[in-house]
Every structure is written in structure tokens, then in C-alpha cells.
Amino acid sequence: MTVPLFDTATPLAGLRETILARIAEVVERGQFVLGPEVRAFEAELAAYLGAAYAVGVANGTDALTIAARALGVKAGDDVVVPSFTFYATAEAMASLGARPVFCDVDPQTRNITAETVRAALTPRTTAVVAVDLFGLPAPVSEIRQLGVPVIEDAAQAIGAWQGDRRAGTLGDVATFSFYPSKNLGAFGDGGAVVTDDAEIAERVSALRFHGSRDKQTFEMVGYNSRLDELQAAILRVLLPELDGWCDGRRAAADAYREAGLAEYVSLPQPPEGARPAWHLYVVTHPEPDRLLGALREAGVQARSYYRTPLHRQQAMLEFAPADLELPATEWLAATNLALPISPVLGQAQAAEVVAAIAAA
Ligand SMILES: *Cc1c(COP(=O)(O)O)cnc(C)c1O
């Protein structure tokens, strides 16, 4: 492969010594769960985002489950979710006994909108999960005006801006994943819940430790879901690099445009006033498989995402009426392909990808 889909290794190369030193410190200290590294990372993440509270959890899926619980979502509730997203977005709601109600997305931004959410609201809707898909912020303020609390699934959008606010500060509560391939990736699993609401933050802190505030008395049935000290120590080294990496991703997206990519495929359209984090650079074409084949031949790694949207996944069929039609979702599922993107994808590589597509 001359151009990989992700390049997580190159940006880390210069940080190797620092990361190893921080890992050694944690090992020497001998405190591996809920210690000083997690506390410091939570404070640094909240400050980076401009949010009041950040609480570390074990992964981005638990972050969604726990955020929804803290917001009051319970068994029997309806929660509006996109169908064109990673499975965990809906799975986390179903794991609470809530019913995921699938809504469509905007074909240009690939995100849910106030209109698509409105069409899916029921008298039992208690929350909406707005995913900032591929690193493009969802129109959370408009959706909030519908009067239902919004959980912002910002797993793919850390480092993105909408106007003067960071992705992850747009809803009532937001969730992040630090899975290794995400824009801020740990060396294993990790996640966080972020909010400005002190009560939600308190409940999240209790829920991640078995529903207990003092580790002696148990007020709720909770979870064992902590970010661990080693991951927090590593994330503290990476967080100060994140804005630079996002600039690199935006430069890569610019390089694709400058290399003439729009002549051959439809480009993603960020919403007005957004600075995307470009977790993935996803274009559309009527024949994605033919392009994928040609790219593979040329040594370029690419793939389609979410080919089977969630409302057609076996585990979700009980929640999705058989006649549910989500035309933009179906169209995106059938036509999308993700091209390589990373903080270090330069003009030469972008030109190579565009040349391979042009030849096909
Ligand atoms: C990655 C991801 C998650 C889940 O995160 P994990 O840390 O893998 O549990 C949830 N939602 C979206 C949109 C994601 O991309």
C-alpha cells in the first residue's frame, strides 16, 4: 500500500520517548484506576473543549449508555438516532431498554437535521442522539429547539468547531471515544462524557463506579466503566498535539479539492461556519465498488462505511418498522467511499489518490 486509509503511526513517532516516560511514571506510581492521571486528563479535556465537566469512562459506547442514563433515559423511552452511523450509537440506547427510533440524514452533510428528527418524534421521545458524523458537526442547536435533550455523539469529531464552539459542547451532554483509530486515540479503549451540567456530571461519575459516590453506598445500578491511568497518561501527551493534527487533516481535505477530486466524485459538504475534524473523508459515487477496485490496484486503501444502515441490521429489526423509508440513508449507504486521510497526508499523496480515481 502506498497510501493507507489511516496513518496513526507517523504522527506518534516524535512522541515515542515522552509517551514511554509517562507510562513508566504510572508503572512506578502503581495506581492504575481513577488516580491523578485520569483527574488531570479530565480537567485538561474540559479546558480544551471549553466545557465545565469531563468524566473519563472505558470506551465511547459506555459513554453513550452512561450519558443517556444520566440524562434520565430509561426502559420504554424512545430515543431518536440516525441510521447512517456506527452501530454503537443505537446499540447503547437499546442496551438501556429504550427503543432507537431511526431518522434520516441530510445527503450533503450526512448528519441528522431538525426536520429529520421532527419526523421521528413520538410522545415517548426523551432524547435525541446527534452524531457528528465523519467529523462534521451536526446542527445540534436547531435540534435542541425541538425541546428534546440532545446527546452529542462526538466520537468522530474531537477537534472540530461549529462557529466559536467545539464539537462536544453543542448538546446537553456529549460523548467521546479514544479508540486507537479515532482523531485522539489511546493505546487501547477509552472514552469520556462531557457536559456543562453539574448534576449530569455527578451522575456520570457515580454511574461509572457502580452507581456509587463514596464507594461504600450504592444508590443506583451502575457500571464498571473507568478510563484507566495508563490510557489517561498517554492521552495527556496527545491532547496538546490534537489541534495541529486537525489542521493537518483540514490541509489534506484542501489538497483533495485542489487536486481536482470534485471532477470525479461528490465531495462532502461541511455545514456553514464549521471547521470539520475530518475523521474520515467520505465522497460519493454511483459505482463505489468499481472505484474501490481501481484504488486497490493502485495501492490506495479505501473502503465504504455503513453499507447496511442500522435500521436494516438484524439486531435492530425489532425497532425498525419494515416499511421505514430513509432515502438519504439508503443512498449514502450505497454510494459512499472513504478516501485516505490523516494529519500527514500531503499534496503528493492526495494527487496520487485523485489520479487513481481519474484513471478509473
Ligand atoms: C467509535 C464510535 C463509537 C464507539 O466508540 P468505542 O470507543 O469504540 O466504544 C460510537 N459512536 C461513533 C459515531 C463512533 O464512531
Side-chain angles (χ1 to χ4, degrees):
M1 283 295 158
T2 58
V3 191
L5 185 57
F6 301 108
D7 183 350
T8 46
T10 308
L12 292 181
L15 302 169
R16 193 185 143 85
E17 296 308 318
T18 314
I19 291 170
L20 290 175
R22 293 292 179 83
I23 290 173
E25 278 174 35
V26 174
V27 172
E28 291 304 317
R29 192 184 295 124
Q31 196 178 343
F32 297 110
V33 174
L34 294 185
E37 300 291 343
V38 169
R39 277 194 298 277
F41 175 67
E42 288 172 339
E44 288 158 13
L45 179 64
Y48 170 86
L49 295 169
Y53 307 98
V55 182
V57 296
N59 55 68
T61 307
D62 282 4
L64 282 162
T65 307
I66 291 173
R69 272 285 299 277
L71 207 56
V73 173
K74 58 190 187 312
D77 288 1
D78 283 353
V79 179
V80 178
V81 299
S83 175
F84 192 64
T85 176
F86 180 56
Y87 179 65
T89 306
E91 179 191 37
M93 302 306 124
S95 77
L96 293 175
R99 182 171 72 118
V101 178
F102 297 101
C103 74
D104 213 354
V105 289
D106 177 277
Q108 242 66 64
T109 64
R110 294 79 181 273
N111 280 325
I112 64 171
T113 68
E115 291 76 63
T116 65
V117 171
R118 189 186 290 115
L121 291 178
T122 74
R124 285 195 300 194
T125 307
T126 53
V128 174
V129 186
V131 180
D132 299 322
L133 198 70
F134 304 142
L136 277 60
V140 176
S141 338
E142 284 94 317
I143 296 167
R144 279 180 102 182
Q145 282 167 20
L146 298 170
V148 183
V150 175
I151 301 166
E152 184 184 2
D153 180 350
Q156 300 186 1
I158 196 161
W161 293 88
Q162 180 62 56
D164 58 2
R165 297 175 72 171
R166 297 260 195 196
T169 64
L170 308 172
D172 295 270
V173 57
T175 61
F176 290 95
S177 164
F178 308 120
Y179 183 77
S181 68
K182 299 280 157 89
N183 285 16
L184 181 67
F187 289 10
D189 280 308
V193 179
V194 169
T195 183
D196 282 339
D197 185 315
E199 281 178 31
I200 292 177
E202 260 260 270
R203 281 198 290 274
V204 170
S205 298
L207 284 166
R208 77 172 166 182
F209 190 92
H210 306 288
S212 176
R213 283 163 223 264
D214 59 5
K215 306 188 178 172
Q216 304 277 347
T217 50
F218 298 88
E219 311 156 35
M220 295 175 275
V221 173
Y223 307 87
N224 174 2
S225 182
R226 281 95 49 144
L227 179 67
D228 69 69
E229 287 283 289
L230 281 170
Q231 301 306 336
I234 293 163
L235 289 166
R236 292 185 67 199
V237 178
L238 307 187
L239 184 60
E241 308 295 326
L242 181 60
D243 280 341
W245 291 341
C246 286
D247 286 342
R249 289 174 178 277
R250 288 187 280 263
D254 289 344
Y256 275 133
R257 276 191 295 271
E258 281 152 24
L261 182 62
E263 273 185 58
Y264 313 104
V265 293
S266 300
L267 304 189
Q269 297 295 324
E272 213 171 290
R275 292 178 74 208
W278 295 122
H279 173 57
L280 293 168
Y281 195 79
V282 178
V283 302
T284 57
H285 186 275
E287 298 174 285
D289 290 331
R290 194 168 64 75
L291 291 194
L292 287 173
L295 287 165
R296 196 177 313 115
E297 293 280 290
V300 175
Q301 224 177 35
R303 59 168 284 202
S304 292
Y305 275 82
Y306 319 137
R307 270 285 168 91
T308 304
L310 301 192
H311 70 290
R312 305 256 184 253
Q313 294 285 355
Q314 189 185 334
M316 293 291 141
L317 292 181
E318 63 173 300
F319 307 116
D323 60 352
L324 178 64
E325 283 184 22
L326 302 174
T329 296
E330 305 277 2
W331 175 78
L332 282 165
T335 61
N336 87 86
L337 72 160
L339 301 180
I341 191 142
S342 80
V344 294
L345 185 117
Q347 286 180 346
Q349 284 180 312
E352 200 179 315
V353 174
V354 175
I357 290 176

